[in-house]
């Protein structure tokens, strides 16, 4: 319905095509970008950036959360700096990242990793702290080792919260990518959008934004399926 109304407004001239291209124009341009390989190449580059940045940020966030959740000393050492860094607008760190890492891929990946780490850290830590102490005491009374308690009690107990953090982190990863790909990028969806902006190609800009949205929806759907399988024991 939304697309139909959008097309009608564009066809009748109520919506200026210089402001927002019609769905028909966008569909035509999408086919052209697919045929010449521009859209596929840009999408692949953006997906690779998100994947690498996500793996780095998720590994840091989950590792710190487990350490802080299981050790009072680690909690005192890790949580205050993490809470302090969490309040920093990580987009504001772009100039510093450029000075530190240059104009290559590193500042883009660092920005994505930073956006990913904090939601996973907070949610995983909250899940660990929310585990019923009776479950931990029961594991100890059964003489489970530390590794067995981690595998059979702590990780399953924290998993629901961790998956919530995973969904949030993936969303933030795509949002961060849009900004990260403005850092002297020569490829990716962000570069395609910025290049189209310079030539006032509204239809190409909308195609790029639509791809960001579809990729975000796809990754969120994957996590939801993972959640259904991993938490099958919940009603």
């Amino acid at each position: 319905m939304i697309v139909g109304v959008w097309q009608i407004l564009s066809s009748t001239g109520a919506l200026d095509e210089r402001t927002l291209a019609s769905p028909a124009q966008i569909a035509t341009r999408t086919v052209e970008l697919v045929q010449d390989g521009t859209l596929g190449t840009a999408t692949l580059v953006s997906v690779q950036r998100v994947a690498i940045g996500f793996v780095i940020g998720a590994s840091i966030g989950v590792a710190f959360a487990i350490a802080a959740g299981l050790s009072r000393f680690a909690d005192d050492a890790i949580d205050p700096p993490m809470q302090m860094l969490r309040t920093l607008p990580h987009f504001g760190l772009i100039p510093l990242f450029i000075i530190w890492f240059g104009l290559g891929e590193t500042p883009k990946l660092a920005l994505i990793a930073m956006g990913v780490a904090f939601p996973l850290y907070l949610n995983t830590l909250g899940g660990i702290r929310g585990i019923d102490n009776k479950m931990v005491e029961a594991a100890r009374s059964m003489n489970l080792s530390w590794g067995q308690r981690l595998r059979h009690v702590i990780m399953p107990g924290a998993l629901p919260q961790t998956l919530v953090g995973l969904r949030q982190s993936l969303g933030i990863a795509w949002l961060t990518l849009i900004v990260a790909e403005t850092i002297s990028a020569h490829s990716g969806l962000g570069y395609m959008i910025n290049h189209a902006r310079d030539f006032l190609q509204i239809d190409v800009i909308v195609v790029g934004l639509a791809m960001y949205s579809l990729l975000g929806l796809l990754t969120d759907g994957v996590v939801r399926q993972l959640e259904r399988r991993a938490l099958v024991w919940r009603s």
Side-chain angles (χ1 to χ4, degrees):
M1 290 177 61
I2 294 173
V3 174
V5 172
W6 179 4
Q7 181 62 53
I8 291 172
L9 293 175
S10 297
S11 300
T12 58
L15 185 61
D16 191 348
E17 293 182 354
R18 292 174 297 179
T19 302
L20 185 62
S22 68
Q25 286 180 309
I26 294 170
T28 301
R29 182 51 66 97
T30 301
V31 172
E32 293 174 355
L33 292 173
V34 170
Q35 289 177 342
D36 65 17
T38 300
L39 186 60
T41 302
T43 301
L44 180 60
V45 170
S46 294
V47 169
Q48 289 177 337
R49 285 173 178 150
V50 166
I52 296 172
F54 177 81
V55 169
I56 296 172
S59 300
I60 294 173
V62 172
F64 280 4
I66 292 175
L70 300 181
S71 168
R72 179 62 60 85
F73 174 79
D75 182 41
D76 292 338
I78 294 174
D79 194 59
M82 289 294 286
Q83 296 296 343
M84 179 183 67
L85 292 173
R86 181 175 66 88
T87 61
L88 291 176
H90 61 290
F91 292 150
L93 295 175
I94 292 177
L96 195 59
F97 282 178
I98 292 175
I99 294 174
W100 287 351
F101 307 122
L103 294 173
E105 290 295 305
T106 305
K108 302 176 183 62
L109 299 179
L111 203 65
I112 295 170
M114 188 171 182
V116 165
F118 295 114
L120 264 174
Y121 169 79
L122 290 173
N123 281 277
T124 303
L125 181 60
I128 293 174
R129 288 176 173 174
I131 296 174
D132 191 346
N133 287 331
K134 294 179 181 179
M135 297 290 292
V136 179
E137 291 299 328
R140 288 174 179 168
S141 66
M142 296 173 65
N143 294 322
L144 295 183
S145 66
W146 184 89
Q148 290 173 324
R149 293 200 300 269
L150 178 65
R151 178 182 176 185
H152 297 292
V153 178
I154 295 172
M155 293 308 297
L159 186 59
Q161 282 290 99
T162 301
L163 289 173
V164 172
L166 184 62
R167 293 182 66 182
Q168 292 176 341
S169 295
L170 282 170
I172 292 175
W174 289 111
L175 292 173
T176 304
L177 176 68
I178 299 175
V179 179
E181 288 189 328
T182 64
I183 307 175
S184 186
H186 300 288
S187 59
L189 291 171
Y191 170 76
M192 186 181 75
I193 291 174
N194 286 329
H195 185 267
R197 178 200 61 193
D198 295 336
F199 293 93
L200 300 179
Q201 295 174 320
I202 305 298
D203 49 357
V204 177
I205 293 175
V206 176
V207 170
L209 294 175
M211 284 303 303
Y212 277 128
S213 299
L214 291 174
L215 289 169
L217 183 63
L218 177 63
T219 52
D220 186 71
V222 170
V223 176
R224 292 181 67 179
Q225 289 296 323
L226 176 63
E227 186 178 22
R228 291 190 182 100
R229 293 179 179 273
L231 305 179
V232 68
W233 47 270
R234 296 202 307 181
S235 57

